[in-house]
Amino acid sequence: MLLRVENLSKKFEIKVGQKKLIESINGISFELEKGEFLALCGPSGAGKSSILKCIYRTYIPTKGHILYNSYEYGLVPIQKAPDWQMIRLRRKEIGYVSQFFSVIPRVSAMDIVAEPLVRYFGVDEKEARERARWLLRRLGIPSNLLDAYPSTFSGGEQQRVNIARAIIWKPRLLLLDEPTASLDEKSARIVLELLKELKEEEVGMIGIFHNEAHLKAIADKVLEVKKYE
Amino acid sequence: MRVVLRVSNLTKIHGRGCPECLSLTGPEHETNLCKRCGSVVACANVSFELYEGEILGILGESGSGKSTVIKLLNFEMEPTFGEAYLYNVRGAEWANGKNLFSLNSYQKRMLKNKVISVVYQNPLLGLNANVSAAGNVAERLLVSGWRNYSLINARVESLLEKMEFPIQRMKDLPKSLSGGMQQRVQIAKALANEPSILLLDEPTTGLDLSVQARVLDLIRKLHRELNLSMIFVSHDLRVINLLADRVIVMKLGRIVEMGLTDQILNDPQHEYTQLLVSSQL
């Protein structure tokens, strides 16, 4: 078992302006093994992204347990892990590809991708950049863009830089929020190919796809997330 | 991750204080003025840990007590009560396990010169107006025992270069430099003795946007290269988001929330933090 989610629920309590309680997800349970790909399905607003964000601890779950089997720490209850431990897990074990480009201004595409290797895995700068270049080229980023700032890139190019930064260090658990959403068919196929390679290397993954064909190409199992009523 | 600094129950009351100062002030009372004795509770029961090599953000508006915390840690004033401890910090092994606020003034000066440095919002607060940019940096080296003129010169020049300061202007007085350049000199001065902990109090506030961006880039670069542990105080969510792994939110002298930066910004728990996040442009 790499990850076990039990009865996970998330409500947002808005305390300013129009006070209200927003129910996001309720009673989600599943288990994930190493090298397994779980796809989350369901209508927009069903809370698929919220599940990923709870696992990454961008959201604090309201109820339930998220048990992650860490290489470094053994079983970690993510919902109550101390902040320093989450930071460490995010650097060394759990990767996340967000739906939107997470901006690091004024850093070149190649350095954005190479950075985690250099900072958290002690890889020599030259080698890290070489690996970043290789990965970005494989993802179809033209070589004249490697030294440019991604804030000027197209949505699809930014998406691929995002993916490259998350997979270059080969996390043990990878969370993917619509990784192929803004990609053309050719780039999407390359991304799926890379994800399949990660699967063979035992990376456990949870992903959200809107494209049925993409989902079928990679998923081992599917969790249907229903809109909370 | 290793703790380098642990702060516990740090409290500063301006005024004579009374037994009810703490129970009559804070966010739930919407004031930091004790209505019984008229004292101002600048900060109360502030506790946190700083980890090696991290940037810890402190977010809050004016009057939240965030600058008071910095001033206390830089020994600019005495706390009313509370403690702070360093753990296995290079050059301060002798201070291990001792409450920093009960050290004698010589020991405090040692820490200020070599271990904990501060960068203020107003560069002129951290600089001596009567000596040149280079002289300001050299001053800091002199107080920690540097004596060889050519070594000092070389060190000053390499520091200013690292701060991307235009070397041809290093003989100029601070007042003739632009705000961004002054800030670079102040940072060079703060880093002259290779401190382990850097406290930054709104270092980019008041600078033009493009200058602000370049100073932030510099701080990021220094953090990466020097493995400094930093406390970065700001009222600006975007700046905190860019730099900090963890953030403390303060209001009226109290910590109202503490957590991972992306969690605080995406799922704020406290009413005040929700207000801050929703007020973003």
Side-chain angles (χ1 to χ4, degrees), chain A residues 13-29:
Chain A
E13 196 188 342
I14 311 296
K15 298 167 180 166
V16 289
Q18 291 174 301
K19 297 184 175 57
K20 54 186 167 188
L21 200 64
I22 300 169
E23 317 257 13
S24 173
I25 47 178
N26 188 31
I28 297 289
S29 302

Side-chain angles (χ1 to χ4, degrees), chain A residues 116-127:
Chain A
L117 285 180
V118 178
R119 284 188 76 177
Y120 308 129
F121 293 88
V123 176
D124 162 77
E125 201 151 321
K126 201 168 151 229
E127 190 199 325

Side-chain angles (χ1 to χ4, degrees), chain B residues 91-163:
Chain B
E93 290 82 0
W94 56 270
N96 261 354
K98 295 189 181 121
N99 177 11
L100 302 185
F101 301 119
S102 53
L103 298 176
N104 65 38
S105 57
Y106 169 74
Q107 292 170 318
K108 286 180 182 168
R109 221 163 33 241
M110 293 260 291
L111 291 182
K112 273 181 78 154
N113 285 337
K114 299 208 171 207
V115 178
I116 304 176
S117 248
V118 66
V119 175
Y120 301 94
Q121 175 180 351
N122 179 353
L124 299 177
L125 274 181
L127 296 177
N128 180 342
N130 302 315
V131 297
S132 67
N136 261 286
V137 183
E139 234 178 25
R140 184 59 66 89
L141 294 170
L142 283 168
V143 296
S144 66
W146 289 58
R147 288 294 176 263
N148 181 306
Y149 181 79
S150 60
L151 285 180
I152 292 177
N153 240 357
R155 170 86 177 140
V156 167
E157 214 175 301
S158 89
L159 272 164
L160 286 171
E161 231 159 43
K162 197 180 199 122
M163 302 310 137

Side-chain angles (χ1 to χ4, degrees), chain A residues 125-137:
Chain A
E125 201 151 321
K126 201 168 151 229
E127 190 199 325
R129 296 175 117 233
E130 211 36 65
R131 280 161 68 179
R133 176 199 306 279
W134 178 84
L135 187 55
L136 285 167
R137 292 294 295 133

